[in-house]
Amino acid sequence: MSSESMDGDCVRVLSIQSHVVSGYVGNKSACFPLQVLGFEVDTINSVQFSNHTGYKSFKGQVLNDTELGGLIEGLKNNSIDYYSHLLTGYIGSVSFLKKVKSVVEHLKTVNPNLVYVCDPVMGDNGKMYVPEELLPVYREHIVPLADIISPNQYEAELLSGQKIKNESDAAEVMEWFHQQGVKTVVLSSTDLSSESELIGMASSITNGSKTKLNIVIPRLPANFTGTGDLFAALLLAWMHHTNNNLKKAVENTLSTMQAILHRTLDMARSRAGADSCPSVRQLELKLIQSLDDIRNPKPTITATLLGS
């Protein structure tokens, strides 16, 4: 082992995803909640933009695979590459994603018990917003390395090659992920309910025993950004803090999400005024204002356990 855990039992996360100067997506959305929940968080920014791409324009830089390799090499050379968790989110190029594969493999040699949480950010609502060439890399190389994965419905369909038209289809898709070696699969949202609700589904295998659940999620009348990044970070934290209790972890994750989104929407409406729609800026996630909800989530969402 090239490194050692210098902080004893301290949980330490390496988060590789996007970063924005202003606003809350990617590492800006994931880092603060993880720190509030007791994690040391090191970040590598796959891109660094002025703001997220939902604004009228943005500027910034993109990290390439060679630069990612250099950062990991620097950690390795100083024996500071021991992590309890790895979290990955938005990645925009094939070469960078292939380098992520080697990073996962390296970190798992340093700590064989490392938990890799993969948010396979590729698209939503039937549209990809990364190059199509990333899909086979995710499917063939990244998914088999993941311990926990949190795709939305569209991403799960892309990866598995199966359409999700009902809960039975969703169960088959989650089973496909298990067959690839993923221990915990959480479909962060599906359109299997109504215009006012989303359905989340999850499946986890622990010591040969499978837990399956679904959960009804109120759908709010606004388009938020950074929610998938926040979801994956909270899921990582609560799976750890509940000793992999899937039901409690998902309930805490989504209860926190609902509190943050309601606060964000209420504040955005207040600032926009009664006769105006909230702007993109006004709908930036209100994470700092939600500190207490992140630290101590109030149980507002209840998951339903399903037969295995």
Side-chain angles (χ1 to χ4, degrees), residues 52-97:
H52 70 69
T53 57
Y55 286 82
K56 63 180 181 180
S57 66
F58 64 93
K59 295 288 186 179
Q61 303 82 38
V62 177
L63 195 73
N64 64 40
D65 57 305
T66 302
E67 292 163 336
L68 172 61
L71 293 173
I72 298 299
E73 188 69 19
L75 296 174
K76 179 180 178 181
N77 290 344
N78 289 287
S79 296
I80 48 176
D81 56 345
Y82 184 102
Y83 293 94
S84 60
H85 296 77
L86 171 66
L87 173 63
T88 61
Y90 175 81
I91 291 162
S93 72
V94 169
S95 59
F96 194 96
L97 188 58

Side-chain angles (χ1 to χ4, degrees), residues 223-262:
N223 293 318
F224 303 98
T225 54
T227 52
D229 312 317
L230 176 62
F231 181 93
L234 290 170
L235 181 65
L236 181 160
W238 286 113
M239 285 294 286
H240 175 79
H241 285 311
T242 63
N243 194 26
N244 296 313
N245 184 314
L246 181 64
K247 186 175 188 293
K248 289 182 179 178
V250 170
E251 287 175 343
N252 283 349
T253 295
L254 286 170
S255 292
T256 304
M257 294 280 299
Q258 283 294 302
I260 293 171
L261 295 182
H262 276 284

Side-chain angles (χ1 to χ4, degrees), residues 88-114:
T88 61
Y90 175 81
I91 291 162
S93 72
V94 169
S95 59
F96 194 96
L97 188 58
K98 288 181 177 178
K99 178 59 72 172
V100 167
K101 174 181 182 288
S102 69
V103 170
V104 180
E105 292 169 338
H106 167 68
L107 295 180
K108 287 200 172 192
T109 63
V110 176
N111 176 17
N113 295 317
L114 175 132

Side-chain angles (χ1 to χ4, degrees), residues 24 259-261 263-265 267-268 271 281-291 294:
Y24 291 94
I260 293 171
L261 295 182
R263 179 172 287 104
T264 300
L265 184 56
M267 293 180 67
R271 292 174 180 175
R281 182 178 182 183
Q282 289 166 339
L283 286 171
E284 293 279 10
L285 297 177
K286 300 301 183 284
L287 296 186
I288 307 303
Q289 297 87 340
S290 303
L291 172 63
I294 296 169

Side-chain angles (χ1 to χ4, degrees), residues 119-175:
D119 180 13
V121 179
M122 289 186 290
D124 203 1
N125 299 316
K127 181 180 179 181
M128 291 188 74
Y129 39 67
V130 298
E132 292 183 6
E133 292 78 14
L134 267 70
L135 177 57
V137 181
Y138 268 115
R139 182 186 291 137
E140 297 166 20
H141 301 291
I142 301 298
V143 169
L145 293 172
D147 298 288
I148 300 172
I149 196 163
S150 59
N152 59 35
Q153 178 177 339
Y154 179 59
E155 291 159 347
E157 290 174 337
L158 286 174
L159 289 166
S160 66
Q162 303 177 53
K163 284 288 186 181
I164 298 175
K165 299 178 181 178
N166 50 51
E167 292 187 14
S168 177
D169 291 342
E172 290 181 10
V173 166
M174 290 191 294
E175 182 59 31

Side-chain angles (χ1 to χ4, degrees), residues 18 27 56 108-109 122 125 178 187 210 259 279-280 283 299:
S18 62
N27 274 326
K56 63 180 181 180
K108 287 200 172 192
T109 63
M122 289 186 290
N125 299 316
H178 287 318
L187 303 184
K210 182 182 290 184
S279 66
V280 172
L283 286 171

